[in-house]
């Protein structure tokens, strides 16, 4: 069991119903008046009866995060030498309970496709020869199997973003979820606007300066599994989203490294771990 800001490694919890890895539960701890929200990280069916179990009750939403989400949490804790509770604090927004309530109450519609905005890529200039060659290679990797990685190198103004746009458009056509990571919050509005104008769909964003309403909309679309694209700064790599295409714009930028507090992760290295493990 993992609880934000709490070290619970080594404690066991008993449950009265079938649980799975990734399930969200309520746990009660001595000295705490209010139960805490926790995440099931491991399930042991053959418990030794010599040990007294603490109670755990499944959250009323019945929500369970995927195994990939839990594995990434445990890998970060091990690789970056911190507690799993500290990693979960970074992965869970402070309003996660409210978001789970929103999932439970079905406040978001059930359309699994990205919300259309109209417009799209009409009227954009043709690709240059160099852009076309780069895109052909990247599209080949997109259709491949196993771990694939590429570095798109070009001077400022050479049109790298246009290549990203075309690649994400192809990913949408193939039903491939895409994560677009950008180094700075102040780059988000113009980048989001450009992607939405080109793709003709709404692109949810995630960063620390989002307003409460927009952050709630983004998290609900992620928790409901409706988001096909996510754009954000470094923390978006820890979001409850399972992309098959990860783009790190300006991957050399120092802002991709989390300094304080723990986990002191590097977005690029975490992205490489996810891509290598899950192909």
């Amino acid at each position: 069991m993992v609880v934000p800001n709490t070290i619970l490694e080594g404690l066991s919890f008993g449950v009265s119903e079938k649980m799975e890895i990734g399930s969200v539960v309520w746990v009660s701890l001595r000295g705490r008046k209010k139960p805490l929200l926790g995440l099931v990280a491991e399930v042991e069916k053959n418990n030794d009866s010599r040990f007294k179990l603490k109670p755990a009750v499944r959250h009323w939403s019945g929500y369970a995060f995927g195994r990939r989400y839990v594995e990434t949490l445990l890998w970060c804790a091990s690789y970056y030498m911190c507690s799993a509770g500290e990693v979960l604090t970074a992965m869970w927004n402070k309003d996660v309970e409210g978001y789970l309530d929103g999932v439970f109450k079905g406040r978001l519609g059930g359309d699994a496709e990205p919300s259309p905005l109209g417009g799209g890529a009409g009227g954009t200039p043709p690709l240059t020869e160099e852009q076309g060659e780069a895109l052909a290679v990247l599209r080949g990797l997109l259709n491949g199997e196993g771990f694939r990685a590429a570095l798109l190198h070009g001077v400022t103004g050479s049109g790298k973003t246009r290549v990203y746009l075309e690649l994400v458009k192809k990913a949408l056509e193939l039903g491939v979820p895409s994560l677009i990571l950008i180094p700075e919050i102040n780059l988000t509005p113009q980048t989001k606007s450009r992607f939405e104008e080109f793709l003709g769909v709404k692109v949810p964003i995630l960063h620390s300066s989002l307003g409460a309403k927009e952050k709630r909309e983004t998290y609900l679309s992620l928790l409901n599994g409706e988001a096909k694209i996510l754009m954000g700064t470094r923390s978006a790599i820890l979001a409850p989203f399972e992309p098959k295409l990860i783009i790190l714009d300006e991957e050399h930028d120092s802002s991709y490294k989390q300094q304080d507090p723990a986990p002191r992760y590097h977005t690029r290295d975490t992205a490489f771990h996810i891509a290598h493990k899950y192909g």
Side-chain angles (χ1 to χ4, degrees):
M1 192 76 64
V2 183
V3 172
N5 287 320
T6 307
I7 299 177
L8 286 183
E9 291 84 350
L11 294 184
S12 298
F13 294 83
V15 296
S16 58
E17 58 183 302
K18 185 179 179 181
M19 292 275 185
E20 57 187 306
I21 292 176
S23 294
V24 181
V25 296
W26 290 110
V27 297
S28 298
L29 296 177
R30 182 179 299 176
R32 297 265 188 172
K33 293 182 179 180
K34 183 181 178 182
L36 300 174
L37 208 59
L39 182 70
V40 176
E42 185 177 354
V43 176
E44 175 58 60
K45 297 181 179 179
N46 300 313
N47 178 67
D48 193 324
S49 60
R50 293 175 299 171
F51 298 98
K52 184 179 180 180
L53 296 177
K54 300 177 183 296
V57 179
R58 192 159 192 171
H59 188 267
W60 47 72
S61 67
Y63 194 84
F65 291 88
R67 283 180 174 261
R68 173 166 155 179
Y69 186 80
V70 178
E71 189 279 330
T72 300
L73 182 155
L74 298 177
W75 176 84
C76 282
S78 174
Y79 189 77
Y80 293 110
M81 296 184 290
C82 61
S83 74
E86 289 174 311
V87 181
L88 190 57
T89 301
M91 297 178 81
W92 273 6
N93 181 275
K94 62 182 178 64
D95 297 318
V96 66
E97 183 182 344
Y99 302 152
L100 291 172
D101 290 344
V103 173
F104 178 61
K105 296 174 182 177
R107 291 174 181 166
L108 207 64
D111 186 4
E113 297 300 320
S115 302
L117 295 177
T124 54
L127 296 172
T128 65
E129 182 178 351
E130 291 82 1
Q131 287 174 324
E133 290 174 355
L135 182 61
V137 173
L138 294 173
R139 280 182 171 176
L141 295 176
L142 190 65
N143 292 320
E145 296 291 335
F147 172 66
R148 289 95 71 205
L151 174 65
L152 181 62
H153 178 70
V155 299
T156 301
S158 58
K160 298 185 294 296
T161 303
R162 174 66 188 281
V163 177
Y164 301 155
L165 288 164
E166 295 283 357
L167 187 62
V168 173
K169 180 182 178 183
K170 182 63 176 180
L172 271 178
E173 294 171 359
L174 296 174
V176 173
S178 303
L179 174 62
I180 305 146
L181 296 160
I182 52 181
E184 299 289 347
I185 291 175
N186 58 11
L187 296 175
T188 307
Q190 66 188 59
T191 309
K192 169 184 167 70
S193 176
R194 187 169 180 185
F195 270 79
E196 288 184 338
E197 182 179 349
F198 185 84
L199 300 173
V201 299
K202 185 176 180 180
V203 177
I205 57 173
L206 196 59
H207 57 69
S208 59
S209 295
L210 274 185
K213 181 180 179 181
E214 191 170 14
K215 190 174 293 184
R216 177 182 175 82
E217 290 176 353
T218 294
Y219 268 100
L220 284 178
S221 69
L222 296 175
L223 294 173
N224 276 311
E226 295 176 356
K228 300 302 180 186
I229 304 175
L230 176 63
M231 179 181 294
T233 50
R234 64 170 177 259
S235 61
I237 195 66
L238 301 178
F241 183 61
E242 298 189 357
K244 294 183 179 179
L245 168 64
I246 304 175
I247 296 173
L248 286 100
D249 191 29
E250 306 292 342
E251 61 88 24
H252 59 278
D253 197 286
S254 61
S255 64
Y256 283 125
K257 177 69 170 70
Q258 165 77 7
Q259 299 296 341
D260 283 303
R264 295 172 178 84
Y265 64 95
H266 199 301
T267 304
R268 182 190 59 221
D269 295 348
T270 305
F272 263 89
H273 164 75
I274 293 171
H276 187 267
K277 185 171 181 66
Y278 296 100

